Amino acid sequence: MSRYARRLDRDLARWREQGWISPDGEASIRRDVAGRTRSMELAPVLGILGAVLIGFGAMSFVAAHWNEMARLFRLAIILGGLFGAYGLAGFLFDRDHPAFAHAAILTGVALFGAGIMLIAQMFHISGHAPDAVLTWALGALGAGVVLRSNPALALAMLLMGLWGGWETGDSDRVYWPFLIGWGAVAAAMLWRGWIPGLHLAALALTVWTISLGYYLFHGHGHSIVIAIGLLIAAAGLAGPIIFGRWRTWGAVAYGMAIAFAGLFALQFIETAPLERLIWLAILSLALVVGGIWIGLRSSNGALLWLGYGGFSIEVLALYFKTIGTLLGSSLFFLSAGVIVILLAAAAYRLHSRAQPGLEPAP
Amino acid sequence: MMSAMTPSRRNMWIAIAAVALAQAAVLGWMIWQRAQLLSTGREIVLEVIPVDPRSLFQGDYVALGYDISRVPISEGAPPIGRGSVIYVTLQKAGELWHQLTSSTTKPENLPPDQVFIKGRVEYASTPTAAAPGQASVHYGIEDFFVPEGAGRELEKLVGQKKIDALITVDAAGNAGIKGLVADGKRVYEEPLL
């Protein structure tokens, strides 16, 4: 049962006892909810996890370089497994078990990667490893698009991230072609209308954007990261005003996380002079409190927890860094505490004026 | 979702077959390309230099180093960044081939006792007045994969500098390991498949 369904279950019982809804109405609502919410079943999840395990098994099999078996035979096993996995996927689609079919597709894509590794080993190719990862990612993307398989697209996104990260680490520079690979997989996810996949894409782009700060301007590009993050958050806030619908909280959360990571790097990874550190700390706390405020206003759980998490990280990091002296730290925390409590009082006044007689929920 | 023998069912099987065949074709193409390099490329023999005398054998491969793994950079040469392509020209002397020159552009019209090999710069130090610069270069021939647990003997031979590598190079400078040579005899010569 989803969180919404559990909560509704409690509320419905209460509303019926109060006599606000009839038993018939309650039954109708329950039927509607049961018909609309698709709770995650255990079996398909286990199917995907099994496919992941088989993929790692295949890669370890290649890495073991088992000499008892001729190389050609090992290649035949991998290729046979690849055709077998896709054939099984077709059979499962045919029998109307799409969830298991997608697990079989994922296995096929994993065996494609194991095949690439086996060939590299057979011919002692120690060439540029990220190229092999890119080939694998493109294979996963192709399978995801042609077979409309979300798990394959997720693997493609993970592999694109591995490729971009590897190239960046190898060259010690921003690796711009990553955006092309990322865009291709993200476009496929958008075309499928797959929300969890789009979050994965947003997460990959968030990490990449944060990494810009460590590579641009000889590793001092964090101000750019903060600007990009604030722009994304502002666009997320402006979106509903322009389009009239509140659906861009994700952009606000990702943008704020990017800006926070940039601020964090400026404060604790670079060496900031005392006065700048204090200003950056004030900005960070304002950003975090703003995030929590927007999260509460929009009842967006993710934004709220990101805000709480960011607040804890910021305060702990400041505590360990110490602002000038321990006495300085104490002064900063005390004044920040007083300001936040004043904000709390102001928020309470605003709230009780808007809804007299109601205590705000903690 | 797919009822009995509908066009969508046929399309599904076509899509499945297309993905499986395309991925198998990519793997086949990789093998063909490599087999092509090994069978038609020019054979040269390079002396293998121990990379790390204490632990050459890492897991299931032996790390091979060559004299072309370190390319000197003369003072005043244009700076070389990590990941950039470098062409090293080799000259034959006796059985072995040695580094002659290097450039960032593809060499042309080489005499028959010379060949060029394409590499990727891993790290480069800039030359100063005091010391010449040096680039660490990979050619894709640095890992020799061996069966699990079978690397000790090979490691010893490499450590004693008794091993040379048989390399093939194609016209574009791509290189592959064809086998290993010990005391003038070919050991570990790899079959094409």
Side-chain angles (χ1 to χ4, degrees):
Chain A
M1 213 190 273
S2 71
R3 231 168 58 188
Y4 167 67
R6 260 203 310 271
R7 181 166 176 189
L8 193 67
D9 191 55
R10 281 200 308 268
D11 287 346
L12 279 173
R14 193 162 48 84
W15 295 337
R16 177 172 32 81
E17 278 161 25
Q18 300 276 351
W20 295 340
I21 54 170
S22 66
D24 278 353
E26 187 196 346
S28 308
I29 292 171
R30 282 185 191 283
R31 266 199 303 281
D32 182 62
V33 169
R36 277 165 187 275
T37 55
R38 261 190 25 234
S39 63
M40 286 289 266
E41 300 273 346
L42 181 64
V45 172
L46 288 182
I48 295 291
L49 294 183
V52 170
L53 289 174
I54 290 173
F56 274 97
M59 287 191 281
S60 305
F61 170 71
V62 170
H65 201 148
W66 199 35
N67 220 28
E68 305 289 302
M69 198 183 270
R71 303 194 305 173
L72 202 55
F73 192 55
R74 271 178 282 168
L75 186 67
I77 286 186
I78 297 281
L79 273 178
L82 187 132
F83 279 103
Y86 286 117
L88 184 66
F91 174 77
L92 288 166
F93 272 129
D94 213 33
R95 291 294 166 97
D96 211 5
H97 290 302
F100 291 118
H102 286 298
I105 291 171
L106 195 62
T107 307
V109 175
L111 287 172
F112 174 61
I116 294 172
M117 288 176 207
L118 179 64
I119 291 164
Q121 187 194 61
M122 276 169 65
F123 296 105
H124 308 288
I125 306 171
S126 63
H128 194 47
D131 289 346
V133 177
L134 177 63
T135 308
W136 191 7
L138 291 175
L141 174 62
V145 170
V146 174
L147 303 177
R148 306 181 177 207
S149 173
N150 292 344
L153 288 180
L155 179 59
M157 185 52 89
L158 289 177
L159 290 172
M160 284 293 178
L162 180 63
W163 165 64
W166 206 327
E167 286 279 12
T168 308
D170 253 15
S171 62
D172 246 345
R173 264 191 303 246
V174 178
Y175 190 66
W176 300 100
F178 167 73
L179 287 179
I180 301 171
W182 176 87
V185 183
M189 287 167 160
L190 194 65
W191 167 67
R192 298 273 306 132
W194 187 41
I195 302 295
L198 287 171
H199 275 292
L200 186 65
L203 197 65
L205 194 63
T206 298
V207 172
W208 185 81
T209 308
I210 292 169
S211 84
L212 286 181
Y214 296 88
Y215 289 105
L216 287 178
F217 302 106
H218 307 286
H220 302 293
H222 299 295
S223 319
I224 303 266
V225 174
I226 298 169
I228 294 173
L230 290 178
L231 269 177
I232 294 172
L237 284 174
I241 298 166
I242 296 163
F243 300 109
R245 277 201 283 172
W246 298 89
R247 284 180 60 192
T248 43
W249 294 120
V252 178
Y254 288 114
M256 285 191 150
I258 290 170
F260 180 78
L263 282 167
F264 186 89
L266 275 188
Q267 291 170 85
F268 306 113
I269 290 168
E270 306 236 318
T271 39
L274 184 61
E275 198 178 331
R276 210 166 100 211
L277 177 68
I278 292 173
W279 277 110
L280 289 169
I282 291 171
L283 253 171
S284 303
L285 285 175
L287 183 78
V288 170
V289 170
I292 293 173
W293 179 61
I294 299 170
L296 285 171
R297 281 286 303 267
S298 61
S299 358
N300 183 301
L303 202 47
L304 201 56
W305 283 109
L306 270 176
Y308 290 147
F311 181 80
S312 317
I313 292 169
E314 175 69 27
V315 169
L316 278 177
L318 275 179
Y319 178 73
F320 284 115
K321 174 141 182 144
T322 67
I323 302 160
T325 58
L326 275 175
L327 212 56
S329 289
S330 165
L331 192 65
F332 178 85
F333 281 125
L334 284 175
S335 32
V338 169
I339 291 169
V340 170
I341 286 172
L342 285 177
L343 275 175
Y348 179 78
R349 291 278 298 268
L350 276 175
H351 189 87
S352 53
R353 203 173 299 161
Q355 289 166 286
L358 264 185
E359 281 277 319
Chain B
M1 188 168 115
M2 270 162 238
S3 48
M5 281 325 270
T6 54
S8 77
R9 192 173 176 183
R10 207 174 57 231
N11 288 344
M12 181 272 291
W13 279 110
I14 291 171
I16 293 263
V19 167
L21 287 173
Q23 292 189 350
V26 169
L27 297 179
W29 183 77
M30 285 175 72
I31 294 173
W32 183 83
Q33 207 191 21
R34 214 60 200 177
Q36 199 70 8
L37 169 64
L38 290 186
S39 57
T40 64
R42 189 163 171 191
E43 283 187 11
I44 60 171
V45 179
L46 296 178
E47 188 186 1
V48 171
I49 294 169
V51 178
D52 175 355
R54 279 156 302 155
S55 161
L56 285 163
F57 180 63
Q58 306 175 339
D60 56 354
Y61 69 90
V62 178
L64 303 178
Y66 307 94
D67 84 318
I68 54 169
S69 299
R70 307 231 162 263
V71 175
I73 308 168
S74 50
E75 211 184 331
I80 309 171
R82 281 178 75 170
S84 55
V85 169
I86 192 165
Y87 296 92
V88 174
T89 304
L90 299 161
Q91 163 100 48
K92 190 174 185 183
E95 285 300 304
L96 298 172
W97 294 68
H98 296 285
Q99 188 176 160
L100 193 65
T101 54
S102 65
S103 74
T104 49
T105 53
K106 201 181 276 189
E108 273 169 44
N109 301 324
L110 292 179
D113 63 340
Q114 291 183 7
V115 69
F116 73 88
I117 179 170
K118 191 167 80 182
R120 197 184 141 92
V121 176
E122 294 290 304
Y123 173 80
S125 61
T126 24
T128 58
Q134 205 178 50
S136 165
V137 183
H138 274 199
Y139 302 89
I141 51 172
E142 285 77 17
D143 296 341
F144 193 80
F145 294 94
V146 291
E148 202 172 11
R152 298 284 161 210
E153 184 197 356
L154 193 55
E155 180 184 333
K156 220 168 67 195
L157 287 172
V158 174
Q160 294 163 351
K161 288 199 168 195
K162 279 186 177 165
I163 286 279
D164 299 319
L166 183 63
I167 305 292
T168 56
V169 189
D170 70 8
N174 298 308
I177 301 178
K178 200 165 186 176
L180 297 181
V181 180
D183 297 329
K185 274 196 307 210
R186 290 187 180 191
V187 290
Y188 294 104
E189 184 160 5
E190 296 290 337
L192 278 186
L193 278 171

